[in-house]
Amino acid sequence: MEAEVSGRNLYMPQLATIVRITEETHDTKTFTLRFVDDEYRRQFSFRSGQFVEVSVFGAGEAPFGFASNPNRKEDFDITVRAVGRVTRALHQKREGDVVGVRGPLGNHFPFEEVFGYDILIVGGGIGLPPLRSLIEPMLDARERFGRILILYGARTPADRVYKYLLDQWGKRQDIEFLQTVDVGDETWTGHVGVVTTLFDKIQVDPARTVAFTCGPPIMIKFVIQGLLAMGFDPDHIISTLERYMKCGVGKCGHCAINHKYVCTDGPVFSFKQMQAFTEPL
Ligand SMILES: Cc1cc2nc3c(=O)[nH]c(=O)nc-3n(C[C@H](O)[C@H](O)[C@H](O)COP(=O)(O)OP(=O)(O)OC[C@H]3O[C@@H](n4cnc5c(N)ncnc54)[C@H](O)[C@@H]3O)c2cc1C
Ligand code: FES
């Protein structure tokens, strides 16, 4: 029997047109996708932290987190680093080409649940896109949150994604934004060091702050260690986990960690939930 939710075949991709391609770095591009079917486009919505399976016909399918503001209705962004077969094939596509999209899939970042809290966001490299999808609706509802602090780290100045957006965030008076690079260049006058070195530059009250982090596994490990050392409750540390995925809908078992499927129980987990895993993350 085919897997269905509300009459929708979970394995059936919907066609979407690539309406815009933005070069972010030497190996990373943002693709703005718009569903071809008007009715499907009108009823489509997603939450920050969810992901889509994108099929590049003839190459295969791969999961990508939503990178844009869920309040934006006509289209959405994914930001993709070219690492292998599917991602390189996607990078060959041009504006006007069509791909397949399944989703939205997975759980999402807590949003209404953190109204009233200070928010600390820590992103590394290609981990910023899903966090952007959280930051932008938070800025839309700015009065609902306390302080919003954003820390972003990348390998080099050129490896930073969304440079235009980082400039805007740096100028805003209603958020605190700090960025760093592992290795500077002749143009870079900012901070140098891994993202956790920015922790020395901020003061937060862990009791009234919820931290969100996304990035390479090694970065997440050190960020979580740093947050715990600052006194954060494991329940107030929210992260995403990446696992090899196939079906994306809890059927094949590829993404299992212990008794959880990252594709349906995740990809968003609190550190408290992660502590229950006996497998190494
Ligand atoms: C929930 C979820 C959300 C994701 N969101 C994004 C996103 O927003 N942007 C993005 O660029 N990627 C994202 N990824 C990772 C992305 O799915 C993989 O990069 C993609 O599946 C690789 O497919 P491929 O066919 O191009 O590479 P393959 O041909 O399968 O692999 C080529 C090489 O890349 C390596 N590789 C494969 N996957 C990864 C990975 N995740 N990290 C590092 N190296 C890898 C392989 O080990 C191999 O050496 C996400 C993954 C998950 C599970
Ligand atoms: S990818 Fe198939 S169960 Fe998660």
Side-chain angles (χ1 to χ4, degrees), residues 51 53 243-256 260-264:
F51 66 97
E53 287 277 352
R243 275 292 185 275
Y244 280 104
M245 289 185 183
K246 286 275 183 204
C247 71
V249 292
K251 303 287 176 195
C252 73
H254 261 81
C255 66
K260 297 280 187 195
Y261 289 146
V262 174
C263 67
T264 47

Side-chain angles (χ1 to χ4, degrees), residues 16-270:
T17 306
I18 301 172
V19 292
R20 194 165 50 253
I21 299 176
T22 309
E23 302 257 356
E24 302 288 353
T25 73
H26 72 284
D27 62 0
T28 302
K29 294 182 182 179
T30 294
F31 298 85
T32 302
L33 304 180
R34 189 172 193 266
F35 287 109
V36 170
D37 185 278
D38 289 339
E39 185 53 36
Y40 193 84
R41 187 169 68 244
R42 266 193 293 275
Q43 54 79 43
F44 183 82
S45 66
F46 67 91
R47 303 287 310 259
S48 317
Q50 289 190 291
F51 66 97
V52 276
E53 287 277 352
V54 173
S55 33
V56 183
F57 304 119
E61 192 182 43
F64 304 104
F66 286 100
S68 51
N69 189 337
N71 295 333
R72 202 173 98 196
K73 293 297 177 200
E74 273 295 292
D75 52 30
F76 64 89
D77 295 342
I78 53 170
T79 296
V80 178
R81 174 174 287 163
V83 296
R85 185 178 157 83
V86 175
T87 49
R88 286 203 191 103
L90 187 55
H91 271 237
Q92 296 304 313
K93 293 286 172 198
R94 303 217 172 133
E95 291 176 357
D97 286 346
V98 170
V99 293
V101 174
R102 289 194 294 128
L105 304 171
N107 70 351
H108 57 83
F109 288 122
F111 191 80
E112 294 80 4
E113 297 85 344
V114 298
F115 281 174
Y117 281 94
D118 290 348
I119 304 295
L120 171 62
I121 291 185
V122 188
I126 189 78
L128 190 59
L131 295 172
R132 175 194 175 191
S133 159
L134 176 68
I135 292 166
E136 292 194 339
M138 283 182 166
L139 295 179
D140 287 349
R142 183 66 192 85
E143 69 290 352
R144 297 280 197 172
F145 302 94
R147 293 167 67 201
I148 297 182
L149 299 93
I150 304 169
L151 311 182
Y152 179 49
R155 273 175 301 179
T156 69
D159 284 317
R160 292 169 306 142
V161 294
Y162 310 146
K163 296 178 191 70
Y164 42 95
L165 205 56
L166 304 181
D167 287 344
Q168 288 173 20
W169 289 347
K171 289 180 188 142
R172 284 185 74 126
Q173 301 297 313
D174 59 347
I175 59 175
E176 294 154 73
F177 171 65
L178 295 174
Q179 54 181 325
T180 183
V181 294
D182 297 351
V183 183
D185 62 17
E186 61 288 350
T187 65
W188 185 253
T189 54
H191 189 81
V192 176
V194 293
V195 74
T196 43
T197 59
L198 294 176
F199 286 170
D200 296 338
K201 294 181 168 288
I202 58 165
Q203 286 198 324
V204 291
D205 176 358
R208 49 166 295 124
T209 307
V210 178
F212 295 85
T213 184
C214 188
I218 186 74
M219 183 211 91
I220 291 181
K221 182 179 163 193
F222 285 110
V223 167
I224 290 176
Q225 276 179 14
L227 294 171
L228 292 172
M230 274 190 238
F232 273 79
D233 188 300
D235 219 13
H236 279 193
I237 302 174
I238 314 293
S239 185
T240 57
L241 287 181
E242 263 192 32
R243 275 292 185 275
Y244 280 104
M245 289 185 183
K246 286 275 183 204
C247 71
V249 292
K251 303 287 176 195
C252 73
H254 261 81
C255 66
I257 307 179
N258 296 149
H259 53 292
K260 297 280 187 195
Y261 289 146
V262 174
C263 67
T264 47
D265 298 309
V268 176
F269 294 93
S270 70

